[in-house]
Amino acid sequence: MQQPHLGVQSDEQGRTSVIDPTKHEDLPTLCQRLHARVNAFVAAEAPAEGFLKTTQEQTRASLKIIEEALDRYSLDQLSLSYNGGKDCLVLLVLFLASLHTKRLSASRAAIQSVYILSAHPFAEVDDFVDDCIRVYSLDLARYAKPMKAAFEDYLQHKPHVRAIFVGTRRTDPHGSNLMPFDETDRGWPSFMRVHPVIDWHYAEIWTFIRHLDIPYCPLYDKGYTSLGGTTDTHPNPALKNRVNAEDDEGGTRYRPAYELLEDDAERLGRDR
């Protein structure tokens, strides 16, 4: 008999229920399914040491932060910053799972969210975000302007929003001193920033995504490890394939993003 994937709900043949990016299901059904998958993941036995064990611990900690936010604020007062990247993808899945835990998934048809586009966006990122709108029932507002101005406009459009989930991690620029709950800085539009994945390491993000078999932006399979815009983002040189150095078109071949392990190498493909 085929062995089931560790931590993922499966039947007696080891088959798993994979998120299908071509289909849409109602929000309560999706939240229930993600809740079951996340619960199965954190309950699975894992080696005492290694990324799987630490990812389970990070998942539990993040769920507590999200559930605290759901206790502090109503769903109308909460939004989620989503740009299709790996970190906010993990955050999105955990948030939807928590809606089932708190019996809130039936209270609205779509999730309030905001997407601040790069000045030079990748078509692959925009296509993936479009898929996520359909698959994860996102009510996504898009802004192609600097972050401060984008949030100002968003809060004018959604004045009831008081807190926004953000997928920032401590190894990101300006992330080292952040707390799970942080008010915005002086001079910025006022809202609570909620950082459920703030203490996750790069390898733990990929451990979660791959063990739960979550579809992700295809750029990550081409060696990109941190996504910005087309003018300042490149495949990570640490993932350059040393064996088969060229692809079918004569370009350099890179290994997928999940093969990188070190936090401090994550942004080697970014100009800034």
Side-chain angles (χ1 to χ4, degrees), residues 9-25:
Q9 290 255 311
S10 58
D11 63 17
E12 64 275 8
Q13 280 79 44
R15 295 185 297 246
T16 61
S17 176
V18 179
I19 297 170
D20 186 344
T22 68
K23 295 183 179 179
H24 170 77
E25 56 190 350

Side-chain angles (χ1 to χ4, degrees), residues 45-70:
E45 290 189 15
E49 297 184 1
F51 289 124
L52 184 58
K53 187 71 170 180
T54 61
T55 305
Q56 290 174 320
E57 293 167 355
Q58 296 281 29
T59 300
R60 295 186 188 98
S62 295
L63 290 171
K64 289 182 180 178
I65 294 169
I66 295 170
E67 289 170 16
E68 181 178 347
L70 291 170

Side-chain angles (χ1 to χ4, degrees), residues 4 45 70 105 137 153 157-160 214 223 225 229 242 259:
E45 290 189 15
L70 291 170
S105 60
S137 295
D153 285 359
H157 180 62
K158 300 274 189 179
H160 48 277
I214 302 167
T225 54
R242 306 297 182 186
E259 292 193 13

Side-chain angles (χ1 to χ4, degrees), residues 1-106:
M1 182 179 72
Q2 180 185 358
Q3 292 299 312
H5 293 295
L6 180 60
V8 180
Q9 290 255 311
S10 58
D11 63 17
E12 64 275 8
Q13 280 79 44
R15 295 185 297 246
T16 61
S17 176
V18 179
I19 297 170
D20 186 344
T22 68
K23 295 183 179 179
H24 170 77
E25 56 190 350
D26 63 86
L27 189 60
T29 301
L30 174 66
C31 292
Q32 182 179 20
R33 192 152 60 85
L34 292 177
H35 175 269
R37 291 171 69 81
V38 170
N39 271 8
F41 173 71
V42 298
E45 290 189 15
E49 297 184 1
F51 289 124
L52 184 58
K53 187 71 170 180
T54 61
T55 305
Q56 290 174 320
E57 293 167 355
Q58 296 281 29
T59 300
R60 295 186 188 98
S62 295
L63 290 171
K64 289 182 180 178
I65 294 169
I66 295 170
E67 289 170 16
E68 181 178 347
L70 291 170
D71 288 336
R72 289 193 191 188
Y73 304 99
S74 69
L75 276 186
D76 282 342
Q77 295 173 324
L78 287 167
S79 184
L80 186 144
S81 180
Y82 189 76
N83 63 7
K86 62 189 183 304
D87 303 327
C88 59
L89 177 61
V90 170
L91 168 57
L92 173 60
V93 169
L94 293 175
F95 176 67
L96 293 173
S98 297
L99 291 185
H100 181 77
T101 302
K102 304 295 285 186
R103 301 178 183 274
L104 293 170
S105 60

Side-chain angles (χ1 to χ4, degrees), residues 6-271:
L6 180 60
V8 180
Q9 290 255 311
S10 58
D11 63 17
E12 64 275 8
Q13 280 79 44
R15 295 185 297 246
T16 61
S17 176
V18 179
I19 297 170
D20 186 344
T22 68
K23 295 183 179 179
H24 170 77
E25 56 190 350
D26 63 86
L27 189 60
T29 301
L30 174 66
C31 292
Q32 182 179 20
R33 192 152 60 85
L34 292 177
H35 175 269
R37 291 171 69 81
V38 170
N39 271 8
F41 173 71
V42 298
E45 290 189 15
E49 297 184 1
F51 289 124
L52 184 58
K53 187 71 170 180
T54 61
T55 305
Q56 290 174 320
E57 293 167 355
Q58 296 281 29
T59 300
R60 295 186 188 98
S62 295
L63 290 171
K64 289 182 180 178
I65 294 169
I66 295 170
E67 289 170 16
E68 181 178 347
L70 291 170
D71 288 336
R72 289 193 191 188
Y73 304 99
S74 69
L75 276 186
D76 282 342
Q77 295 173 324
L78 287 167
S79 184
L80 186 144
S81 180
Y82 189 76
N83 63 7
K86 62 189 183 304
D87 303 327
C88 59
L89 177 61
V90 170
L91 168 57
L92 173 60
V93 169
L94 293 175
F95 176 67
L96 293 173
S98 297
L99 291 185
H100 181 77
T101 302
K102 304 295 285 186
R103 301 178 183 274
L104 293 170
S105 60
S107 61
R108 59 185 312 121
I111 300 301
Q112 293 186 134
S113 47
V114 54
Y115 175 22
I116 302 174
L117 284 77
S118 165
H120 305 279
F122 282 95
E124 294 92 336
V125 173
D126 281 350
D127 289 346
F128 179 69
V129 169
D130 287 340
D131 287 342
C132 291
I133 291 173
R134 179 179 62 257
V135 173
Y136 298 109
S137 295
L138 299 181
D139 175 15
L140 189 72
R142 300 175 191 246
Y143 296 92
K145 56 180 59 181
M147 185 176 295
K148 182 178 177 181
F151 279 128
E152 287 174 345
D153 285 359
Y154 182 61
L155 292 179
Q156 287 181 359
H157 180 62
K158 300 274 189 179
H160 48 277
V161 170
R162 294 178 51 202
I164 299 178
F165 289 103
V166 183
T168 301
R169 295 180 12 253
R170 204 165 296 287
T171 52
D172 290 334
H174 312 296
S176 59
N177 296 319
L178 292 177
M179 301 295 289
F181 291 84
D182 266 319
E183 292 278 0
T184 49
D185 298 331
R186 177 180 295 182
W188 279 68
S190 178
F191 61 89
M192 180 68 75
R193 296 169 293 177
V194 186
H195 305 114
V197 298
I198 186 65
D199 288 317
W200 287 56
H201 292 285
Y202 177 88
E204 292 166 344
I205 291 290
W206 280 112
T207 298
F208 184 90
I209 289 173
R210 298 193 73 216
H211 271 281
L212 272 72
D213 208 6
I214 302 167
Y216 53 83
C217 178
L219 286 177
Y220 289 120
D221 282 337
K222 299 179 179 180
Y224 292 85
T225 54
S226 177
L227 301 182
T230 58
T231 59
D232 63 9
T233 306
H234 319 280
N236 194 314
L239 291 173
K240 187 179 294 185
N241 193 325
R242 306 297 182 186
V243 179
N244 299 312
E246 293 186 352
D247 60 23
D248 294 337
E249 298 178 354
T252 302
R253 185 175 294 178
Y254 293 86
R255 304 192 308 279
Y258 54 77
E259 292 193 13
L260 190 73
L261 298 178
E262 300 83 6
D263 284 338
D264 57 4
E266 177 181 356
R267 295 181 64 87
L268 292 179
R270 297 287 292 271
D271 293 340

